[in-house]
């Protein structure tokens, strides 16, 4: 029997609720298939700070490194906003990404036919949208040095550095290109090369690697234009390749094409070690504990984990099909609600998906 060791990181806010639902589905799937899942749970983010003083306890990072895949829910709570940066939940997630070498963040944005009416955009704009944001995850302005805040004669001055080396650009570009070869063979690289030196190097590198991939159609957009094109004509995109900050912003924008950020999964990958699979949304502290959260982004992240991280393709298909069926039957969490549909809580949505699994 195949065995997979999974580290679960429920984190903060709605994290524990959506984790419980997802874990139940994974257990049921493994029982129906011929593999075993061994779960370990560890604190991260606010729960890490509260239990050990660190948003990424050493024991959590160690367990993640020793796992076959990491499935995280969400981190963050405004109660830590006044803490020093080292002791904020977000720092735990950034350190985990860095510690596992997760340079590539894959965010598929697929419009589900059943949810066409839930988007704030017109359905004729979003029908058949199927794109993938490939975001560089451990470089750029999130990690660039120098950074900090200094006293000057004109008061405080704070700064970050946006930098990319050609090696960093090359590895994310090659990965995006390989992904595109298995899709519609189109890559749009997004930068701000009309203003930023770092983007100029980015564009040069992407263009030069593109010469090795004549099968691909590679184009470039400035980030401001890309933001506009995403809502103007999103079907023009297949793979969007971009850096850390632009990818963060554009993926939230792209999420709105699907109706709710509660639908968007992601996979973060390194060159060899375990991947980290997590919903794109945050911890939603305002609805935590009220059974209102949409667990689907995490369930779809679990499907990405099965497919990409554990190579359990059949189980991944099954889980995605179950989500599709439940949505087609008219079941919705509150974030997706429209008139005449059936509103469910987080737990009940999990039960419906379990029923059709
Ligand atoms: C995301 C989040 C994170 C990011 C935060 C929580 C650090 O917004 O995964 O998109 O900015 O990368
Ligand atoms: Mn984000």
């Amino acid at each position: 029997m195949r065995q997979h060791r999974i580290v679960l990181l429920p984190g903060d806010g709605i994290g524990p609720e959506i984790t419980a639902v997802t874990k139940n589905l994974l257990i049921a799937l493994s029982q129906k298939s011929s593999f075993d899942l061994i779960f370990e749970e560890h604190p991260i983010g606010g729960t890490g700070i509260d239990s050990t003083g660190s948003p990424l306890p050493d024991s959590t990072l160690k367990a993640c490194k020793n796992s076959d895949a990491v499935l995280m829910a969400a981190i963050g709570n405004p109660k830590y906003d006044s803490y020093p940066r080292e002791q904020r939940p977000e720092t735990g997630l950034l350190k985990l990404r860095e510690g596992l070498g997760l340079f590539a963040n894959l965010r598929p944005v697929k419009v589900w036919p059943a949810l066409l009416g839930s988007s704030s955009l017109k359905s004729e704009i979003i029908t058949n949208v199927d794109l993938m944001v490939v975001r560089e995850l451990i470089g750029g302005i999130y990690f660039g040095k120098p950074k900090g805040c200094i006293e000057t004669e004109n008061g405080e001055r704070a700064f970050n550095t946006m930098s990319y080396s050609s090696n960093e650009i090359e590895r994310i570009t090659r990965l995006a290109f390989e992904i595109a070869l298995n899709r519609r063979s189109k890559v749009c690289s997004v930068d701000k090369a009309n203003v930023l030196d770092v983007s100029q190097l980015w564009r040069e590198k992407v263009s030069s690697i593109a010469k090795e991939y004549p099968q691909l159609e590679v184009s470039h957009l400035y980030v401001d234009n890309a933001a506009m094109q995403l809502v103007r004509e999103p079907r023009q995109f297949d793979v969007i390749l971009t850096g850390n900050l632009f990818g963060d912003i554009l993926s939230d924008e792209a999420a709105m094409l699907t109706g709710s950020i509660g639908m968007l999964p992601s996979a973060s990958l390194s060159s060899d070690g375990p991947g980290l699979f997590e919903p794109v949304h945050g911890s939603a502290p305002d609805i935590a504990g009220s059974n209102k959260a949409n667990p689907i982004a995490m369930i779809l992240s679990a499907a990405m984990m099965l497919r990409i991280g554990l190579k359990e393709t059949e189980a991944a298909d099954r889980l995605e099909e179950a989500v599709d069926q439940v949505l087609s039957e008219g079941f919705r969490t509150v974030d997706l609600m429209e008139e005449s549909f059936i509103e469910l809580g987080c737990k009940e949505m999990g039960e419906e998906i379990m029923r059709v699994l």
Side-chain angles (χ1 to χ4, degrees):
M1 183 98 108
R2 297 189 298 280
Q3 275 196 347
H4 306 295
R5 287 159 308 142
I6 295 173
V7 167
L8 284 177
L9 305 175
D12 308 326
I14 57 170
E17 300 160 54
I18 60 176
T19 302
V21 165
T22 307
K23 183 180 177 184
N24 281 340
L25 292 169
L26 283 170
I27 292 172
L29 265 175
S30 70
Q31 286 163 352
K32 288 177 209 279
S33 317
S34 51
F35 60 86
D36 250 351
L37 295 177
I38 302 159
F39 294 98
E40 251 183 65
E41 270 183 39
H42 289 272
I44 190 170
T47 54
I49 299 168
D50 293 347
S51 60
T52 72
S54 161
L56 180 65
D58 293 340
S59 50
T60 298
L61 178 60
K62 194 166 164 221
C64 291
K65 282 184 173 164
N66 289 328
S67 73
D68 294 315
V70 182
L71 183 59
M72 197 188 93
I75 50 105
N77 188 310
K79 99 175 196 219
Y80 305 101
D81 282 357
S82 59
Y83 283 46
R85 186 159 300 283
E86 280 303 296
Q87 282 168 42
R88 287 199 215 160
E90 290 76 8
T91 304
L93 176 56
L94 296 179
K95 286 202 161 143
L96 179 62
R97 290 172 177 171
E98 193 180 27
L100 295 177
L102 306 170
F103 69 90
N105 183 216
L106 280 41
R107 298 186 161 179
V109 177
K110 214 173 158 161
V111 171
W112 301 69
L115 296 185
L116 275 174
S118 305
S119 174
S120 51
L121 291 160
K122 295 192 192 109
S123 61
E124 63 259 36
I125 301 284
I126 57 170
T127 308
N128 293 329
V129 162
D130 179 5
L131 62 87
M132 168 91 83
V133 178
V134 177
R135 167 189 179 195
E136 199 291 327
L137 202 60
I138 50 174
I141 198 165
Y142 272 57
F143 292 90
K145 299 226 169 69
K147 64 171 205 151
C149 188
I150 53 172
E151 288 293 343
T152 72
E153 35 195 58
N154 302 317
E156 284 174 307
R157 197 171 72 86
F159 51 94
N160 291 88
T161 301
M162 191 190 267
S163 80
Y164 271 116
S165 67
S166 46
N167 288 346
E168 288 173 310
I169 302 168
E170 178 161 356
R171 67 179 176 181
I172 190 72
T173 299
R174 289 195 185 277
L175 193 123
F177 284 5
E178 295 300 326
I179 290 171
L181 288 175
N182 289 313
R183 296 175 47 100
R184 302 193 304 281
S185 297
K186 277 175 67 171
V187 178
C188 179
S189 170
V190 173
D191 61 38
K192 188 69 186 171
N194 51 345
V195 175
L196 303 176
D197 294 346
V198 56
S199 284
Q200 195 177 325
L201 180 66
W202 180 281
R203 192 175 279 223
E204 282 165 19
K205 277 283 142 198
V206 173
S207 304
S208 105
I209 300 164
K211 295 198 185 102
E212 296 172 37
Y213 292 78
Q215 323 87 301
L216 293 181
E217 184 190 324
V218 178
S219 61
H220 304 266
L221 281 181
Y222 299 136
V223 63
D224 47 353
N225 188 10
M228 180 178 74
Q229 296 299 335
L230 261 177
V231 286
R232 193 187 74 89
E233 177 46 71
R235 274 186 298 261
Q236 70 186 281
F237 296 108
D238 178 15
V239 172
I240 295 178
L241 160 64
T242 192
N244 208 342
L245 179 63
F246 299 159
D248 180 47
I249 299 167
L250 293 180
S251 58
D252 267 37
E253 189 192 8
M256 274 300 113
L257 304 169
T258 68
S260 167
I261 196 164
M263 293 297 296
L264 232 63
S266 86
S268 302
L269 308 176
S270 70
S271 42
D272 39 29
L276 167 67
F277 301 84
E278 54 165 319
V280 172
H281 63 68
S283 58
D286 52 323
I287 56 164
S290 65
N291 195 36
K292 282 192 182 137
N294 181 352
I296 295 181
M298 184 160 186
I299 294 169
L300 295 175
S301 300
M304 287 188 93
M305 174 183 80
L306 289 166
R307 187 182 308 284
I308 303 173
L310 307 177
K311 312 279 181 259
E312 297 291 354
T313 318
E314 214 173 285
D317 288 343
R318 210 156 162 173
L319 192 51
E320 285 170 357
E321 280 158 21
V323 169
D324 193 27
Q325 185 175 332
V326 165
L327 292 174
S328 304
E329 289 175 15
F331 296 104
R332 300 286 187 272
T333 42
V334 62
D335 53 311
L336 299 170
M337 249 329 253
E338 291 171 86
E339 224 175 296
S340 83
F341 288 118
I342 310 144
E343 187 176 326
L344 297 180
C346 175
K347 203 163 152 269
E348 292 71 28
M349 178 56 92
E351 286 162 5
E352 287 305 321
I353 296 171
M354 182 74 90
R355 169 181 60 81
V356 300
L357 205 59

